[in-house]
Amino acid sequence: MNLAAATNENLAHTSNVLIYSSMAVYTLAFFAHIAEWVFGSRSKVGRTAAALTGAEGADAAGSVKVQVAQKGGGTAVLDRPKIITRAAAGSRDVPDGPGAAGGTFKGDLYGRMAVSMTVLAFLVEASGVIARAMSVQRAPWGNMYEFSITFSTVAVGAYLILLALKKNVRWMGLLLVTTVLLDLGIATTVLYTSSDQLVPALHSYWLWIHVSTAIICGAVFYIGAAGTLMYLFRDSYENKLANGGQPGSFAQSVLSRLPAAATLDKFSYRVNAAVFPLWTFTIIAGAIWAGDAWGRYWGWDPKEVWSFITWVAYACYLHARATAGWKGRKAAYLALIAFGCWLFNYYGVNIFVTGKHSYAGV
């Protein structure tokens, strides 16, 4: 074995170690997020704050101040969470919930710990992706294993960017970390492929352009789908309250702390609308690459067909969301169907359907 081969093998081993290490740190973040939700649910502040409107119990800055009894007979004043009243779909006027921490200092502490560990896990996983790229001396997405570890890295990166921009997305942390652990678990067991070079057709600079944009789109579509799913749960909770019903203990404990349905609906729409042009470019870039590699721009390959189906599904969602009669739950169902098309395009087509885009080693 020459020196270059030995170096590449060491880098591949280092990449594997880093990916497994990131899974360990993500697991710690998972338990920290669990603690955040648990301690948040024990707070009367959290249960009370979700029922407040901007005019009840809020100061001039819009923050809720609640006195909480402490050990020793003293009291502490919390001016979290900040309740922002937004108009929901229809005639509802519902405030955002106080977040997973429930407005408690202890819940918030565990939430901050979870975010810190998520940042650390992201850096470790990103290092593993880079080490994989160095070991194969190419873009690190030549097979499903490499695509999966890069996808989860980009998804977490997008979430952290939203946090850095002060967006109200920490409620997504537990769902995101759980999904990332599932993704990495499947990647390291079922999808793992040893470092190898690409087939001749993939030796192109379009690999960097086309596949990287596909990964970015998938990661952002995932965040939009998470928001849509939570919107459906929160909307059901608000509908029950509006109709005089009594939500169950799970809804009172968990759903009451989520952002308002209108907030989640708007968040999901903006995320999907922002990345849709990039998905359009991804399909166009793939067609150009196909023309260079195979001498035709479109050949009805299964991957091409399902990429187009995904594009049509998201186009229908965006059109429906912009149409007054299809706002709300109907449009949300379309968004989840569209993301389901993206998932099938990745897992279903790559594993169960044979075509020119089939990944090596799977």
Side-chain angles (χ1 to χ4, degrees):
M1 180 182 297
N2 57 39
L3 180 60
T7 301
N8 292 340
E9 184 175 341
N10 289 335
L11 286 170
H13 176 71
T14 300
S15 173
N16 294 340
V17 171
L18 289 170
I19 295 300
Y20 280 108
S21 298
S22 72
M23 293 175 66
V25 184
Y26 278 128
T27 302
L28 295 177
F30 170 82
F31 285 115
H33 274 302
I34 290 289
E36 177 187 19
W37 282 95
V38 168
F39 285 105
S41 69
R42 293 178 179 177
S43 169
K44 291 182 180 179
V45 177
R47 292 193 293 271
T48 303
L52 297 175
T53 63
E56 296 176 345
D59 60 13
S63 60
V64 177
K65 294 186 179 294
V66 185
Q67 285 192 333
V68 183
Q70 290 183 320
K71 292 181 180 178
T75 60
V77 177
L78 302 177
D79 64 351
R80 274 193 305 269
K82 195 172 188 179
I83 303 299
I84 303 173
T85 304
R86 291 182 173 86
S91 60
R92 287 203 308 259
D93 192 22
V94 181
D96 287 338
T104 68
F105 290 126
K106 197 165 187 178
D108 184 64
L109 174 62
Y110 280 107
R112 292 177 184 275
M113 290 172 58
V115 171
S116 298
M117 285 183 281
T118 302
V119 172
L120 177 59
F122 165 76
L123 294 175
V124 174
E125 185 183 10
S127 299
V129 173
I130 293 172
R132 177 76 175 197
M134 294 173 63
S135 71
V136 294
Q137 299 179 0
R138 56 168 172 78
W141 39 75
N143 51 60
M144 287 188 71
Y145 168 74
E146 295 172 356
F147 191 103
S148 294
I149 62 175
T150 306
F151 167 81
S152 58
T153 303
V154 175
V156 175
Y159 165 73
L160 295 177
I161 289 173
L162 290 174
L163 283 179
L165 294 175
K166 307 299 183 182
K167 302 299 182 182
N168 179 19
V169 294
R170 204 168 83 182
W171 53 267
M172 192 188 300
L174 179 59
L175 178 62
L176 174 71
V177 170
T178 303
T179 306
V180 167
L181 284 171
L182 179 62
D183 173 74
L184 292 178
I186 295 174
T188 54
T189 55
V190 179
L191 303 178
Y192 181 76
T193 304
S194 300
S195 300
D196 201 357
Q197 293 303 311
L198 299 173
V199 296
L202 297 182
H203 283 286
S204 171
Y205 61 88
W206 283 106
L207 176 67
W208 291 92
I209 300 173
H210 172 64
V211 184
S212 64
T213 55
I215 292 173
I216 294 172
C217 289
V220 178
F221 281 148
Y222 162 78
I223 290 178
T228 301
L229 185 63
M230 293 301 102
Y231 158 75
L232 290 173
F233 283 112
R234 173 76 187 201
D235 186 62
S236 295
Y237 167 75
E238 292 179 8
N239 278 333
K240 182 168 286 189
L241 288 177
N243 294 327
Q246 181 62 36
S249 58
F250 174 81
Q252 290 285 9
S253 174
V254 176
L255 299 182
S256 63
R257 285 180 275 166
L258 291 175
T263 303
L264 292 169
D265 185 38
K266 185 182 296 184
F267 169 78
S268 302
Y269 171 69
R270 288 179 174 177
V271 167
N272 288 323
V275 79
F276 180 73
L278 187 61
W279 182 248
T280 304
F281 170 78
T282 300
I283 295 177
I284 295 173
I288 296 173
W289 187 11
D292 291 343
W294 301 316
R296 65 11 171 222
Y297 294 104
W298 188 267
W300 297 102
D301 183 78
K303 177 69 70 173
E304 297 169 351
V305 171
W306 275 96
S307 294
F308 180 68
I309 290 174
T310 302
W311 185 90
V312 171
Y314 273 107
C316 290
Y317 159 71
L318 294 175
H319 176 72
R321 181 61 178 74
T323 303
W326 274 80
K327 286 184 179 179
R329 299 184 69 88
K330 292 180 180 179
Y333 292 138
L334 278 178
L336 292 181
I337 291 173
F339 184 68
C341 291
W342 188 91
L343 283 178
F344 181 79
N345 188 31
Y346 176 49
Y347 285 105
V349 173
N350 286 343
I351 295 176
F352 301 111
V353 182
T354 302
K356 289 182 176 293
H357 289 78
S358 297
Y359 279 96
V362 177

